[in-house]
Amino acid sequence: MAEGRARRITEGVRAYGLIAGMWVRSTMAYRASFAMTTFGNFAATFLDFVAIMLMFSRVDALGGYPLPEVAFLYGLSATSFGLADLLIGSMERLGRRVRDGTLDTLLVRPAPVLAQLAADRFALRRLGRVTQGALVLGWSLTRVDIDWTADRLLLMPVMVAGGCGIFCAVFVAGAAFQFLAQDASEVQNAFTYGGTTLLQYPPTVFAKELVRGVTFVLPLAFVNWLPATYVLGRPYPLDLPRWTAFASPLVAVACCALAGLAWRAGLRSYRSTGS
C-alpha cells in the first residue's frame, strides 16, 4: 500500500513537471510579453506595500510594530504565498471546469487529476509576486534589530517552506469545496489572497478571537505570525509555548493531509457537468 502511494506521488510529480514545463516553454516563446506581465505582477503587488508605507507616514508604529518589523511580516507572508500561488494557484479554476464540463477531459487522462489541474496554465509571471515579497523581506532584514542565533537562522527557510505548504493546502481545500459550490472561487480567494493580506499586519492589531481562529481553526498564524514573533523576540498574543514557533512544517504536513482527504472526497462526489 505504501509502495502504491509512493508510486502515485511520483507519477503526479512527473505529470506536474511535464505540464508545467510545457506552459513555461509556451510562455518563453514570447519573452517580451513574459517580461511585461511579470513586471506588471510585481508592480501590482508592490502597491500593497506602498499602502503600508503611506500608513507609516502618519504613525510610528502599528500595534507596537515599527515599519521594518511590519515589512518583515509582509515579506514572509508575500513570499510564502507567492510560492504557493506559483506552484498551485491554478487550482482556483476548478469551479469553471466543473461548470463547463472540461474537468471530464482531465479524468480520462493517465495522470492524477490534482497534478494536471495544479499545473494547468502554469503562470511563470507569478514570479513577480515572489520577487517582490523577497525584496521586501530582504530590505526588512537590513533594518530590524534581531539577535541572530542558530535557531533563528534555521527558522527563516523553515517558515517560508512551511508557509508555502500551508497555503498550498488552503488552495487544494478551497478547490475541493468547489465540487460542492461551483461558484465558490471568491470564497477560496477570501482564505488565500485574504489570508496573506491578514498576515501582513501584526497580530496585535486584531481581536484575540480572530487570532485564535487563525491559530487553532485555520492555522494561517503558523505561516509567519508565530515564527516571526520568535525571531523578533516579541510575545505572541495568545501566550503559546515558544516551541510552537518551529511547528510550521508539521502544521503544513497536517494541513496537506487534510486537504488531500477533502480533495479525494470532492473528486469522488463529482458526477460530470449538469449533475
Side-chain angles (χ1 to χ4, degrees), residues 81-132:
F81 176 77
L83 288 171
D85 191 36
L86 173 67
L87 294 173
I88 205 170
S90 297
M91 297 292 297
E92 65 184 9
R93 295 191 180 95
L94 176 64
R96 188 184 312 165
R97 282 190 171 274
V98 171
R99 291 194 302 274
D100 61 23
T102 56
L103 181 63
D104 293 2
T105 63
L106 305 185
L107 294 172
V108 298
R109 293 174 183 171
V113 178
L114 180 60
Q116 295 184 67
L117 191 63
D120 183 45
R121 298 187 179 276
F122 184 86
L124 197 60
R125 68 178 184 277
R126 290 171 177 159
L127 281 173
R129 179 187 292 272
V130 180
T131 303
Q132 185 264 333

Side-chain angles (χ1 to χ4, degrees), residues 45-57 74 201:
T45 54
F46 184 69
L47 291 176
D48 292 338
F49 188 65
V50 170
I52 293 176
M53 290 191 295
L54 290 175
M55 190 183 307
F56 273 92
S57 68
Y74 177 98
Y201 296 91

Side-chain angles (χ1 to χ4, degrees), residues 170-252:
V170 176
F171 270 113
V172 174
F177 179 68
Q178 291 189 54
F179 281 113
L180 302 176
Q182 298 172 11
D183 293 316
S185 60
E186 293 306 319
V187 175
Q188 179 177 350
N189 291 343
F191 293 99
T192 52
Y193 293 92
T196 188
T197 301
L198 174 77
L199 297 175
Q200 291 168 2
Y201 296 91
T204 50
V205 305
F206 300 104
K208 282 196 174 182
E209 290 75 14
L210 178 61
V211 176
R212 289 191 184 96
V214 296
T215 302
F216 301 112
V217 180
L218 183 64
L220 293 176
F222 289 88
V223 172
N224 68 342
W225 278 358
L226 276 163
T229 52
Y230 179 85
V231 172
L232 295 173
R234 287 183 169 272
Y236 191 65
L238 301 184
D239 195 27
L240 296 176
R242 294 181 69 82
W243 61 262
T244 54
F246 297 86
S248 295
L250 296 177
V251 173

Side-chain angles (χ1 to χ4, degrees), residues 67-79:
L67 177 59
E69 293 185 351
V70 173
F72 183 67
L73 295 176
Y74 177 98
L76 288 171
S77 174
T79 304

